[in-house]
């Protein structure tokens, strides 16, 4: 069974950089796309971006200038960096596997941006 | 605002049939996928592609598509189906992925 386990800092100050990592256990790492999706408190889901095992990336244009998704195939992990965070970036961040549909999700990490 | 539009809330009587819709230009050429999310939990995939049911999803869930509208139908809704439902597909450019705003389903 595929499991995604994610971690990272949960409290940031404005202008800091958000950093999260997602480890994939079970199943194949190559041949899939790996995604970050977020959900502000009480609101809907927002796709942040995707990466494949070769490092091909695709980002939400509304976040593209601040987002970097990277992959470490030796560890079956992928990571999210979001720079210059503001209160608007406060959300539960999820990692997920899929290309257009997301079959497996991480447990979610609440990231709060507050001074 | 999202490029995929969903009704914010829908209700259904226990055991009755309910349809949750998702509208967007991209749905004329791309299928929607559907997710169920209960409070405090990560979303789970329900349906994807033309009519693929995710593993473990009861067969009372089905999907259909017509024009710019994709629909998730629950035939004989159960109390445990009460949740938020999200659709997802390509944006209008066809380059990125987007989610609908979500529909809160209440089972009465």
């Amino acid at each position: 069974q595929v499991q995604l386990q994610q971690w990272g800092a949960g409290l940031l100050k404005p202008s800091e950089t958000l950093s999260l990592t997602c480890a994939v256990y079970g199943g194949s790492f190559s041949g899939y796309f790996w995604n970050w999706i977020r959900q502000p408190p009480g609101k809907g889901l927002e796709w942040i971006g995707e990466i494949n095992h070769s490092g091909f990336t695709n980002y939400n244009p509304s976040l593209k200038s601040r987002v970097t998704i990277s992959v470490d195939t030796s560890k079956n992990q992928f990571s999210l960096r979001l720079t210059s965070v503001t209160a608007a970036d406060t959300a539960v961040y999820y990692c997920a596997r899929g290309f257009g549909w997301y079959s497996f999700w991480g447990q979610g990490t609440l990231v709060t941006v507050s001074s | 605002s999202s490029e995929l539009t969903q009704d914010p809330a829908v209700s259904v009587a226990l055991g009755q049939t309910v349809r949750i819709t998702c509208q967007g230009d991209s749905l004329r050429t791309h299928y929607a996928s559907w997710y169920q999310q209960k409070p405090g939990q990560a979303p789970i995939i329900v349906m994807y592609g033309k009519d693929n049911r995710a593993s473990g999803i009861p067969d009372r869930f089905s999907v259909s598509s017509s024009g710019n509208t994709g629909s998730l139908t629950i035939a004989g809704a159960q109390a445990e189906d009460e949740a938020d439902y999200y659709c997802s597909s390509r944006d209008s450019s066809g380059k990125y992925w987007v989610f609908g705003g979500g529909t809160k389903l209440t089972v009465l």
Side-chain angles (χ1 to χ4, degrees):
Chain A
Q1 177 70 331
V2 176
Q3 292 187 0
L4 279 66
Q5 186 172 347
Q6 57 183 103
W7 65 89
L11 181 60
L12 297 173
K13 290 181 168 54
S15 80
E16 292 186 335
T17 296
L18 179 157
S19 182
L20 299 174
T21 297
C22 183
V24 180
Y25 301 99
S28 171
F29 189 77
S30 61
Y32 292 99
F33 273 79
W34 304 94
N35 299 261
W36 289 98
I37 295 162
R38 71 180 183 179
Q39 184 172 36
K43 296 187 178 180
L45 300 168
E46 180 180 31
W47 178 76
I48 298 171
E50 64 189 352
I51 191 167
N52 68 2
H53 72 284
S54 300
F56 169 83
T57 55
N58 185 26
Y59 300 134
N60 185 324
S62 70
L63 298 169
K64 186 174 184 177
S65 64
R66 298 193 292 130
V67 171
T68 302
I69 298 177
S70 58
V71 66
D72 184 342
T73 55
S74 68
K75 296 181 179 179
N76 284 6
Q77 293 177 0
F78 62 107
S79 298
L80 169 70
R81 277 174 48 91
L82 180 67
T83 62
S84 304
V85 297
T86 69
D89 296 310
T90 293
V92 176
Y93 286 75
Y94 295 101
C95 55
R97 188 187 90 172
F99 184 75
W101 59 82
Y102 312 106
S103 301
F104 297 98
W105 295 65
Q107 78 276 20
T109 300
L110 174 61
V111 177
T112 301
V113 180
S114 176
S115 56
Chain B
S1 64
S2 175
E3 294 194 32
L4 297 177
T5 301
Q6 298 183 242
D7 292 328
V10 171
S11 62
V12 61
L14 183 66
Q16 296 303 300
T17 296
V18 62
R19 187 172 67 178
I20 298 170
T21 61
C22 177
Q23 287 189 302
D25 287 342
S26 66
L27 298 183
R28 296 184 184 279
T29 52
H30 298 89
Y31 293 113
S33 55
W34 293 89
Y35 304 86
Q36 177 192 73
Q37 186 180 34
K38 295 183 179 180
Q41 298 182 16
I44 63 168
I45 188 167
V46 177
M47 304 289 297
Y48 61 98
K50 183 179 180 182
D51 59 1
N52 299 294
R53 197 173 298 109
S55 177
I57 300 301
D59 61 6
R60 61 178 178 272
F61 288 86
S62 64
V63 291
S64 60
S65 180
S66 178
N68 72 337
T69 301
S71 300
L72 173 71
T73 299
I74 307 173
Q78 302 299 302
E80 61 263 33
D81 299 333
E82 186 164 287
D84 293 329
Y85 289 84
Y86 294 91
C87 61
S88 179
S89 188
R90 286 291 194 184
D91 73 341
S92 56
S93 75
K95 298 179 182 179
Y96 311 106
W97 304 102
V98 292
F99 287 90
T103 297
K104 182 177 182 61
L105 175 66
T106 300
V107 180
L108 304 171

